[in-house]
Amino acid sequence: MSAATIVNLPDQKTAVIPKKNYINAEDGILSWLFTADHKRIAILYLISITFFFLVGGTFAGLIRLELLTPQPDLVASDTYNKLFTMHGIVMIFLFLVPSIPATLGNFLIPIMIGTRDLAFPKINLLSWYLYMFGAIFLSAAIVLGGVDTGWTFTTPLSTHYLNTHVVTAGLGVFIVGFSSIFTGLNFIVTIHRMRAPGMTWFRLPLFVWSNYAASVLMVLGTPVLAITLVLVVLERTIGIGVFDPTKGGDPLLFQHLFWFYSHPAVYIMILPGFGVISEVMSTFSRKRVFGYSAVAFSSVAIALFGFFVWAHHMFIMGVSNYSALVFSLLTMLVAVPSAIKVFNWSFTMQKGSITFETPMLYALAFIGLFTIGGLTGVFLGSLGMDIHLTETYFIVAHFHYVMVGGMLMAFLAGLHFWWPKLTGRMYPESISQLSAVTSFIGFNLTFMPQFMLGYLGMPRRYHSYPPEFQVLNVLSTAGATVLGFGFLMPVLYLLWSLKYGKIAGNNPWQATGLEWQIQSPPLTENFIEMPVMDHEAYDYEWLAHKTEQEVTTVG
Amino acid sequence: MSSQYHDPANVTNPEHSEHHIIGPGTYILVYVSLLILTGLTVAAAFVDLGILNPVLAVGIACVKGTVVILFFMHVFYQSKLIKLTVTAGFFTFLVLITMTLSDYMSRAWGLW
Amino acid sequence: MDNAIVATHDTHVEEHHVELPQLRHHFETEEQQREAGTFGMWLFLLTEIMFFGGLFFAYLLYRNWYNPAFVAASNQLSIPLGTVNTAVLISSGFFMALGVWAAEVRKKSLLVLFLILTNIAGLAFLGVKAVEYKEKWDKHHIPGAHFDITEFVNPPLNPKTGKPVEEPLSPDMAQKTQLFFVLYFAMTGMHALHMVIGIVLLFWLTYRANRGEFTEGYVAPIENFGLYWHFVDIVWIFLFPLLYLINRHPGT
């Protein structure tokens, strides 16, 4: 197994990084801060989200450390509230939402569709500045003493009963929201308007399709979050009463408006991950993605259904039984397109020549973990089970299986897969395989016990618990430690590889996408001459034919 | 599918339409009709039509909004893509309204 | 660069006209750039629809829950001022549409004239709005500590008939008029904020139009600003009947 590999590197003695590329096109920090190049902006995003991922991860570590013992001994109860709140806010708004779209999407979408840049390069830069500006607000909220509403800003808790920095955090999320709106807007326009000749919709790589679907959700969902947060901030500062029952307002209205964005938001987070998995599955199975159009349309279907299911977050909040029934049914429907994807990826592997490089390991981890996460979502979508399991560790485990086991694994798969393209150098293979396996084991050890804890009735968001839950909690904390190493290793060896990694050449994976046919790292203008697409996506025969021709030409 | 020749502006696409210049004549017509409809909606508010009062008010507003979108904002002459985009926006808005309303209405049957 | 993927393509699209200096390097034709701009603007307007959407739903909910309070509070707004303002804003939109036409037919002085007219009408709208806000302040209808419900609990008597001009509300329901004014200020305030942003942009565009930037074939900024300005009109077209004309036929 380990001998079989598709990696095809140039001769390391003679190979060099191309003299002209987007990294050394201009020098100086200002040339990065004022760049309009989508690739450089992607790198800016990559650095910032990695930083905030480590911040959010630190909060998670402290949470798990506190839960090692049943007694509250590490932190006070309100500090614990702040820890899980800041973990949620940082991870969701500063890491998960922008993670794949703003980094890999930003870097790859223009190249994949064969154009020189996104449609609005300056708005792309603006979106990074908005992200940083919002992140400064959120960091200020953390440094000044934190916020403890939970990431959901639940009213009236957030508007009346807390003395923490709700307004600062709310404004931060508001601003970061606009950054994601602008990213989504840019992607939609680019994908509609800038495709290379011959690049029809059904020749687009599936990564582009899934980012397109996520962008639609960003553009249509995020403004509702924005107005909701504006109302929360106004309610808190001048007491307008829209969510205040004593003045005739309705706290449930807040829940409706908040989840109208925040449910589609989980699809904003996971859909780009689906795209990465499609690319990786195809490349390392040497086969076209099985059921290309089914996978493409299921992304769109998930985006569409995503707007019809939000009230399943509110089953225990007093929504009407009738509408809960409808929302429950619609929730089940989302499982259909998700299952279509999982089945199609599995069939992509069938009779393929599978190799197990790191991106593939992460992708396989994704499929298993996402399936568990998705199926437990169906449990939670059914009304009776939801009453029992919501607000317990079961739901914590469920969304971590989707968000960490799904999204983060997909992000790491994509990062390793396109690292040679981003930097021109390979990551070290064996240690990264080790880290993929480590994080898979660590992840399951962390969150599988939480399913059991939740089923047994341990509520979420408490820093102390009955002693009989301690064994499972210790397992979970041990797993979190392993997981922490699993996530720290890539940070270190990827940094190492920037200088010492093997030179990758144009197409180390022998993959078919347009991005692999240009030099790595790419030129600022991506293509010397505009490409013309004359074959389907994932056409390995075309690639073999092309390679053959090159060999004969050179020979 | 037009795949083999160069088509940077997607000229053969349903996403494309010729640039159309609307003259002042159309604008004046639209302007006058908007003013008339404004008068109409104010007048209608003073007549007791029961449940039809708000329906008529919103109906007239929808007509006015549609006219502005179609002519002042040129959507009538735009590509299918733009038309679809505008429709999608209002569709999502309606999803927000109706799905949320379905909860509030079914919580208090008969009171709405 | 690999040859198989780079085919030479016919360049007849670019042949026949001089390229505008505003054509950005990553677009191949002006047509592509113009359509991308329009499409981007429309997507931005979609976000605006959803942004106002949350407020519209809050309005819908509370109007149904507290209908008597909403009727009484709405009747405190001035119909003449509201109607005039609607007409003023529609005129502003009309001038903007003519401005787009003037830019397209490349008439510089007409374009500048129409932009100035648009701006004057926009400023007039904000002026009337300020008068209305001032009236709310004087009548203690600003939500908050100084909000006064006596007028809704004990409406003044009509000197001719000796009956109250409005249906008196119970103190509890009268409190809910505050919610109407909250939504009134939130919605018209958010609308006015968009107007202010638009007016600032208009000054800038007028300055640039006067230098002849938009009458040489490059009209995208004028067109896209027009879309924004008309969208702000549309919001008002809905706000006017919803806020001012809830129930203007007392006695029923």
Side-chain angles (χ1 to χ4, degrees), chain C residues 43-194:
Chain C
L43 287 173
F44 177 72
L45 294 182
L46 292 201
T47 70
E48 294 276 17
I49 294 175
M50 298 312 291
F51 188 78
F52 279 98
L55 285 173
F56 274 104
F57 183 78
Y59 169 87
L60 182 64
L61 176 67
Y62 297 134
R63 173 173 168 171
N64 275 287
W65 275 7
Y66 310 121
N67 197 39
F70 269 55
V71 168
S74 155
N75 285 351
Q76 293 292 327
L77 303 179
S78 159
I79 284 210
L81 287 182
T83 314
V84 166
N85 238 359
T86 311
V88 167
L89 201 56
I90 289 175
S91 310
S92 179
F94 172 62
F95 293 134
M96 189 65 228
L98 288 176
V100 173
W101 165 75
E104 279 168 341
V105 297
R106 308 190 177 195
K107 291 182 176 162
K108 191 182 106 177
S109 46
L110 263 184
L111 170 63
V112 173
L113 174 72
F114 285 132
L115 288 182
I116 290 173
L117 285 173
T118 309
N119 213 346
I120 290 174
L123 286 167
F125 177 91
L126 285 180
V128 175
K129 207 79 225 135
V131 171
E132 288 189 270
Y133 281 1
K134 173 73 169 49
E135 190 204 357
K136 301 286 161 300
W137 174 263
D138 292 339
K139 289 163 91 176
H140 294 283
H141 285 164
I142 310 270
H146 299 290
F147 191 78
D148 187 11
I149 59 164
T150 40
E151 206 175 339
F152 300 109
V153 183
N154 295 309
L157 299 182
N158 187 330
K160 283 178 197 156
T161 57
K163 284 183 186 165
V165 292
E166 282 289 346
E167 199 93 341
L169 299 176
S170 68
D172 191 39
M173 186 53 89
Q175 277 298 344
K176 306 296 190 290
T177 54
Q178 215 177 146
L179 217 46
F180 173 85
F181 284 109
V182 161
L183 287 169
Y184 169 80
F185 279 109
M187 293 167 107
T188 59
M190 209 63 85
H191 177 259
L193 180 68
H194 280 83

Side-chain angles (χ1 to χ4, degrees), chain A residues 429-440:
Chain A
E429 185 65 42
S430 28
I431 185 170
S432 63
Q433 286 179 341
L434 178 70
S435 88
V437 174
T438 311
S439 42
F440 180 75

Side-chain angles (χ1 to χ4, degrees), chain A residues 263-473:
Chain A
H263 189 74
V266 307
Y267 300 124
I268 294 176
M269 301 174 214
I270 195 73
L271 274 168
F274 290 160
V276 171
I277 300 304
S278 299
E279 302 294 316
V280 171
M281 277 295 158
S282 164
T283 302
F284 294 94
S285 307
R286 318 303 302 159
K287 267 180 71 191
R288 183 179 159 82
V289 173
F290 185 88
Y292 171 95
S293 36
V295 178
F297 278 124
S298 62
S299 293
V300 180
I302 288 174
L304 183 68
F305 291 175
F307 277 118
F308 290 87
V309 299
W310 75 84
H312 65 219
H313 295 268
M314 305 163 59
F315 284 161
I316 58 162
M317 293 181 193
V319 292
S320 91
N321 289 347
Y322 305 100
S323 88
L325 203 63
V326 173
F327 276 109
S328 173
L329 180 74
L330 291 168
T331 303
M332 307 279 177
L333 284 183
V334 182
V336 176
S338 313
I340 287 176
K341 281 182 183 293
V342 171
F343 288 134
N344 279 307
W345 291 323
S346 312
F347 271 101
T348 304
M349 287 188 284
Q350 191 211 19
K351 293 191 178 170
S353 336
I354 305 172
T355 52
F356 294 92
E357 280 81 11
T358 313
M360 187 62 166
L361 291 182
Y362 277 117
L364 291 170
F366 171 96
I367 291 187
L369 300 178
F370 173 75
T371 305
I372 295 175
L375 283 176
T376 49
V378 179
F379 295 11
L380 290 161
S382 52
L383 281 169
M385 284 292 269
D386 184 74
I387 307 292
H388 176 66
L389 295 175
T390 194
E391 298 298 310
T392 70
Y393 264 83
F394 192 89
I395 207 158
V396 176
H398 154 69
F399 64 70
H400 280 91
Y401 260 83
V402 182
M403 290 296 121
V404 184
M407 179 60 191
L408 196 51
M409 295 290 175
F411 178 65
L412 287 170
L415 196 59
H416 284 88
F417 184 56
W418 282 295
W419 190 254
K421 191 50 69 181
L422 263 64
T423 64
R425 289 181 185 273
M426 295 298 288
Y427 57 85
E429 185 65 42
S430 28
I431 185 170
S432 63
Q433 286 179 341
L434 178 70
S435 88
V437 174
T438 311
S439 42
F440 180 75
I441 294 170
F443 178 85
N444 280 304
L445 192 56
T446 314
F447 292 104
M448 197 56 93
Q450 294 188 7
F451 274 128
M452 300 173 209
L453 283 169
Y455 189 76
L456 295 172
M458 178 170 160
R460 65 191 285 207
R461 296 185 169 173
Y462 283 87
H463 72 324
S464 60
Y465 52 85
E468 67 260 33
F469 293 140
Q470 191 176 7
V471 176
L472 289 169
N473 268 302

Side-chain angles (χ1 to χ4, degrees), chain A residues 87-235:
Chain A
H87 168 69
I89 291 179
V90 168
M91 282 301 199
I92 288 170
F93 294 111
L94 296 184
F95 178 71
L96 285 169
V97 169
S99 60
I100 290 183
T103 57
L104 297 175
N106 226 336
F107 194 99
L108 293 162
I109 285 177
I111 306 183
M112 281 178 164
I113 67 172
T115 182
R116 295 192 190 93
D117 207 327
L118 287 171
F120 310 114
K122 284 180 188 165
I123 289 181
N124 195 19
L125 183 65
L126 174 68
S127 94
W128 181 72
Y129 275 102
L130 285 173
Y131 170 87
M132 290 309 285
F133 195 49
I136 287 170
F137 268 78
L138 288 173
S139 311
I142 299 174
V143 174
L144 293 174
V147 51
D148 56 353
T149 56
W151 78 276
T152 51
F153 294 100
T154 307
T155 57
L157 184 69
S158 62
T159 51
H160 286 79
Y161 298 109
L162 295 173
N163 288 318
T164 50
H165 297 271
V166 180
V167 171
T168 321
L171 289 175
V173 173
F174 176 84
I175 298 167
V176 171
F178 278 94
S179 136
S180 105
I181 287 177
F182 286 137
T183 304
L185 189 154
N186 228 333
F187 284 0
I188 296 178
V189 175
T190 307
I191 296 169
H192 270 287
R193 283 273 166 255
M194 313 281 287
R195 300 193 307 279
M199 182 61 87
T200 57
W201 279 91
F202 292 96
R203 286 178 178 177
L204 288 175
L206 287 164
F207 182 76
V208 178
W209 271 95
S210 61
N211 271 286
Y212 179 80
S215 303
V216 171
L217 292 174
M218 288 184 201
V219 167
L220 289 172
T222 319
V224 180
L225 175 77
I227 188 67
T228 315
L229 287 172
V230 167
L231 290 175
V232 166
V233 167
L234 288 178
E235 177 89 59

